[in-house]
């Protein structure tokens, strides 16, 4: 900042090497009469300069501007002739640091001068910086008045705190009792009520102090301004301490928001309360009193000393507790998984660096520009703590409310067996997303509090409104998509999940259909969600939809057979035509089904050959193992046999079959259909035996064995094919001789003489 020094001030500081008398200027501006005189003098100088100004000419552009910094000053600021914004960060930092150290030195010098003036040093020997003369008697009376106000206010405050203790104790006990699920919610309610009581106590003590202040002003003519300074400082500091008690309540476990032990809470509360009281009462009471009654230089120097002592105290505590807090954070990191573990370990290693940096930052801005920087830092710090605390509270509440395992009833789990697992998978994932969004929001609001950018101004723009609206729309879209997926997937499971006691074939079919529809539903939801999200963020999805349509059409033409396989397979599965383990005939092949897919079915026939039959080639499906199977047997007897006797033997064979190993596979009594044919060499009788699915062939084989056994015992002939031999005839009608040997009696018959002579003699 470049200053135009009036001649009157320049004469007061002659020989000061072109440095303006900053202290004298500040004193003049603080005093109303001198400030008005300075303003009049400046207006007079401006009027004279305007009257004496020469006519402009071509050389005026090159003439030095009156009131501007001299060339040597400009060279000092930027030796290379750079503009301020072009100067490097390191040089700007060095300049700022140099100014801060110079200000500290000037303030300590002013403190020495002011103290010399107080203790009787002649004003001619030392410049007191405009320090007013000290009236010891008035100063003592003012100190007594302030002391009375302080004692009265704090006595009332401590009495009210003692009265409120039972309510604090009751709220703490209520917060620690009850279910763990709502523990944090009860704690927040109890802390809010306790904070309200605490604020009421502070407010009542403040009002009591105000009454005492009014009495002092009216009765002993005390300075109302000094008393008001203390009351304001009391209100600010004690409200800040009330906020600390919300976080680090040492005496009441249920009223402590930060999860630390009582000893740790007591230490943190004491450390921060000491800093708040020392800085608050010092900067809000002592420094203004010194500025107004003695000297602004003395007040500024005392303020610097207060902040320096607070800095030293904070640095000592931070370094002393560095390892303790680091170990605590490491222990917490061991119980955490994911990115949170890495962040906690990193914070454990660097927390003291951040804390020291913040402490030095507060001290630096206080020294450089205490009037504006310190209130800004205090406000930004308070907002940061509020945002971070609110984010942590919301996160903890969500964790306690929905972060635990969700359980459904057994009946509900039977109808939707995967819903509980799905919900317990998605809820923690959604909770992590909410935590991440809370963290991002806290960071955004914190940066806005430190004026890294103006969030309100950005949101007032069209881009800000559009971006916030798009983010909210996207979150709503994702939430609706997740809800639709959970609902429809659960409905599919309710429809296709195998019931308790279902056979393996039905279970396999259900799993196949469930996987098919899950996949189709997931693909459809993902595509729709992605398209809508892209549309929300401003991407034109019309070309994407058109391209997808063309691509789908091309794939449809190029893969007609594949599409037909899939569609036919879906309907075959829906109609429950084929299950794993069935014996079927499909696409010209018969065998046991070993695999049912979306596109094809795999069969293994009796010879062990493995067939893969695409569903598009399946015109009809013949399933031999559905519900039951029939053994249909036709048994032929000779024409000379009695049909009724044969049926009696067939029934006797069935009775023995029912008592044998196959009894569990026979589902109904045998049905005798009767005579089905009068064949060339036999009379055929049909019977039907109902058997378990897939066991009809085994039942038939066992029954055939018994039929042969019973027919043989009864002497019933089962005809078999006969062969007639013809030896031909001559012209006379005579047949050639033929010799027949009967093996049982070893006789040979001569067909010519018919005497039966034995050729052996």
């Amino acid at each position: 900042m470049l200053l135009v020094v009036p001649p009157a001030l320049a004469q007061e500081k002659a020989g000061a090497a072109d440095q303006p008398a900053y202290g004298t200027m500040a004193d003049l501006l603080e005093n109303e009469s001198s400030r008005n005189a300075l303003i009049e003098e400046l207006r007079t100088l401006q009027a004279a300069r305007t009257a004496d100004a020469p006519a402009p000419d071509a050389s005026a552009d090159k003439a030095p501007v009156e009131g501007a910094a001299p060339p040597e000053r400009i060279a000092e600021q930027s030796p290379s002739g750079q503009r301020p914004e072009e100067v490097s960060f390191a040089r700007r930092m060095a300049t700022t640091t140099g100014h801060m150290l110079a200000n500290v030195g000037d303030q300590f010098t002013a403190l020495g001068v002011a103290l010399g003036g107080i203790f009787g040093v002649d004003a001619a020997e030392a410049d007191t910086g405009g320090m007013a003369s000290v009236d010891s008697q008035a100063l003592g009376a003012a100190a007594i008045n302030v002391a009375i106000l302080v004692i009265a206010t704090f006595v009332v405050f401590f009495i009210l705190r003692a009265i409120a203790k039972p309510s604090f104790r009751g709220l703490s006990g209520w917060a620690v009792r009850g279910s763990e699920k709502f523990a944090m919610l009860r704690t927040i309610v109890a802390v809010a009520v306790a904070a309200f009581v605490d604020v009421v106590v502070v407010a009542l003590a403040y009002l009591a102090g105000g009454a005492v202040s009014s009495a002092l002003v009216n009765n002993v003519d005390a300075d109302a301004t000094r008393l008001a300074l203390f009351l304001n400082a009391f209100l600010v500091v004690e409200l800040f301490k009330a906020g600390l008690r919300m976080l680090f309540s040492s005496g009441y476990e249920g009223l402590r928001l930060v999860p630390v032990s009582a000893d740790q809470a007591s230490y943190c509360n004491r450390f921060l309360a000491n800093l708040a009281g020392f800085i608050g009462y010092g900067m809000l009471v002592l420094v203004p009193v010194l500025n107004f009654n003695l000297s602004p230089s003395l007040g500024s120097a005392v303020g610097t000393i207060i902040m320096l002592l607070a800095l030293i105290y904070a640095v000592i505590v931070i370094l002393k507790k560095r390892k303790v807090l680091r170990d605590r954070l490491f222990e917490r990191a061991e119980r955490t998984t994911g990115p949170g573990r890495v962040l906690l370990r990193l914070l454990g290693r660097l927390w003291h660096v951040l804390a020291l940096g913040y402490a030095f930052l507060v001290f630096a801005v206080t020294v450089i520009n205490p009037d504006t920087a310190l209130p800004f830092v205090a406000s930004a710090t308070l907002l940061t703590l509020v945002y971070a605390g609110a984010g942590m509270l919301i996160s903890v509440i969500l964790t306690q409310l929905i972060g635990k395992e969700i359980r459904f009833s057994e009946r509900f789990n039977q109808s939707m067996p995967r819903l509980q697992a799905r919900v317990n998978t998605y809820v923690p994932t959604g909770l992590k997303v909410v935590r991440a969004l809370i963290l991002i929001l806290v960071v955004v609001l914190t940066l806005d509090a430190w004026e890294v950018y103006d969030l309100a101004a950005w949101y007032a723009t069209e881009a800000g409104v559009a971006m916030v609206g798009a983010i909210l729309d996207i979150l709503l879209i994702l939430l609706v998509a997740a809800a639709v997926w959970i609902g429809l997937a659960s409905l599919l499971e309710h429809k296709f999940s195998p019931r308790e006691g279902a056979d393996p074939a039905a279970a396999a079919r259900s799993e196949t259909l469930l996987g098919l529809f899950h996949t189709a539903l997931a693909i459809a939801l993902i595509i729709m969600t992605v398209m809508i999200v892209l549309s929300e963020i401003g991407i034109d999805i019309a070309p994407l939809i058109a391209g997808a349509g063309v691509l789908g059409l091309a794939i449809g033409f190029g893969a007609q057979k594949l599409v037909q396989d899939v569609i036919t397979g879906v309907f075959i599965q829906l109609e429950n035509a084929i299950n794993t383990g069935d014996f079927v005939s499909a696409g010209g092949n018969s065998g046991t089904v070993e695999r049912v897919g979306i596109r094809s079915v795999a069969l293994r026939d009796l010879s062990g050959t493995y067939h893969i039959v695409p569903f598009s080639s399946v015109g009809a499906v013949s399933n031999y193992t559905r519900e039951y199977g029939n053994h249909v047997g036709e048994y032929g007897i000779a024409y000379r046999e009695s049909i009724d006797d044969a049926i009696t033997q067939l029934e006797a064979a069935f009775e023995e079959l029912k008592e044998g190993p196959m009894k569990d596979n026979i589902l109904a009594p045998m049905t005798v259909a009767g005579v089905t044919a009068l064949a060339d060499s036999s009379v055929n009788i049909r019977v039907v035996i109902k058997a378990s699915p897939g066991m009809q062939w085994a039942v038939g084989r066992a029954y055939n064995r018994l039929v042969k056994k019973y027919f043989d015992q009864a002497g019933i002939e089962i005809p078999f094919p006969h062969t007639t031999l013809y030896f031909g005839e001559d012209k006379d009608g005579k047949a050639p001789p033929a010799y027949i040997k009967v093996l049982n009696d070893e006789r040979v018959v001569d067909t010519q003489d018919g005497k039966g002579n034995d050729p052996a003699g």
Side-chain angles (χ1 to χ4, degrees), residues 381-440:
T381 303
L382 180 61
L383 289 176
T384 301
L385 294 177
V386 170
Y387 296 149
M392 291 178 61
L393 284 178
I394 295 174
S395 178
V396 172
I397 291 173
L398 291 176
T399 301
Q400 290 196 350
L401 288 179
I402 60 177
K404 298 185 180 298
E405 184 179 3
I406 299 174
R407 295 184 178 275
F408 299 133
S409 64
E410 291 295 332
R411 182 178 179 182
F412 198 75
N413 285 332
Q414 288 178 0
S415 60
M416 298 182 181
R418 300 183 185 178
L419 180 60
Q420 179 173 311
R422 181 178 294 110
V423 170
N424 287 316
T425 300
Y426 293 158
V427 167
T429 303
L431 188 59
K432 292 178 181 178
V433 173
V434 172
R435 286 174 176 170
L437 293 176
I438 291 174
L439 177 60
I440 294 173

Side-chain angles (χ1 to χ4, degrees), residues 75 139 169 171 229 248 272 351 379 554 657 670 675 684-685 700 702 737:
L139 185 61
R169 191 179 302 111
L171 289 170
L229 286 173
F248 305 103
L272 295 175
W351 80 267
S379 174
L657 179 67
M670 182 182 69
V675 177
N684 297 334
I685 303 173

Side-chain angles (χ1 to χ4, degrees), residues 73 76-77 84 87-105 360-361 363-369 373:
R73 180 61 176 171
E76 178 183 352
Q77 291 179 349
V87 179
S88 66
F89 174 77
R91 178 171 292 278
R92 293 199 303 270
M93 180 62 69
T95 303
T96 303
T97 307
H99 289 170
M100 182 184 71
L101 296 177
N103 288 341
V104 173
F360 280 103
L361 173 65
F363 176 75
V365 298
T366 305
V367 173
I368 295 174
N369 196 355

Side-chain angles (χ1 to χ4, degrees), residues 727 735-741 748-757:
F727 295 97
Y739 296 92
I740 299 175
K741 183 178 181 180
V748 178
V749 179
D750 187 355
T751 60
Q752 288 185 347
D753 55 11
K755 297 180 179 180
N757 294 327

